[in-house]
C-alpha cells in the first residue's frame, strides 16, 4: 500500500463516530496548528492502521 493510499484510508475514518474518527478529523483539520500534535495523531492513527492490517 502506498503512502497516498494509507492517508486516503486513514482520512476515510473521519466519518466514523469513534476515537479513530475523531483523530482523523483532528488530523485533517490540523486542530491546534501544532506539528507535535499532528505527529502524535499520525502515530495513534498508524496503530489503528496496523491493527486493521493484521486482521486482514
Amino acid at each position: 500500500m502506498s503512502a497516498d493510499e494509507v492517508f486516503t484510508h486513514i482520512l476515510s475514518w473521519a466519518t466514523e463516530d469513534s476515537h479513530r474518527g475523531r483523530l482523523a478529523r483532528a488530523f485533517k483539520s490540523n486542530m491546534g496548528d501544532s506539528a507535535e500534535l499532528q505527529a502524535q495523531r499520525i502515530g495513534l492513527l498508524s496503530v489503528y492502521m496496523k491493527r486493521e492490517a493484521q486482521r486482514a
Side-chain angles (χ1 to χ4, degrees):
M1 188 177 263
S2 73
D4 288 337
E5 291 172 326
V6 169
F7 277 108
T8 300
H9 189 74
I10 286 173
L11 293 178
S12 74
W13 297 335
T15 59
E16 294 180 4
D17 185 26
S18 63
H19 182 249
R20 74 180 189 180
R22 289 188 297 277
L23 278 172
R25 288 188 297 278
F27 179 76
K28 185 176 180 179
S29 68
N30 193 14
M31 185 180 289
D33 195 30
S34 165
E36 184 177 336
L37 286 174
Q38 289 294 81
Q40 291 172 356
R41 289 178 188 125
I42 201 65
L44 289 170
L45 288 164
S46 68
V47 170
Y48 283 112
M49 190 70 183
K50 181 179 177 183
R51 287 180 188 164
E52 192 170 289
Q54 289 174 338
R55 290 184 197 143

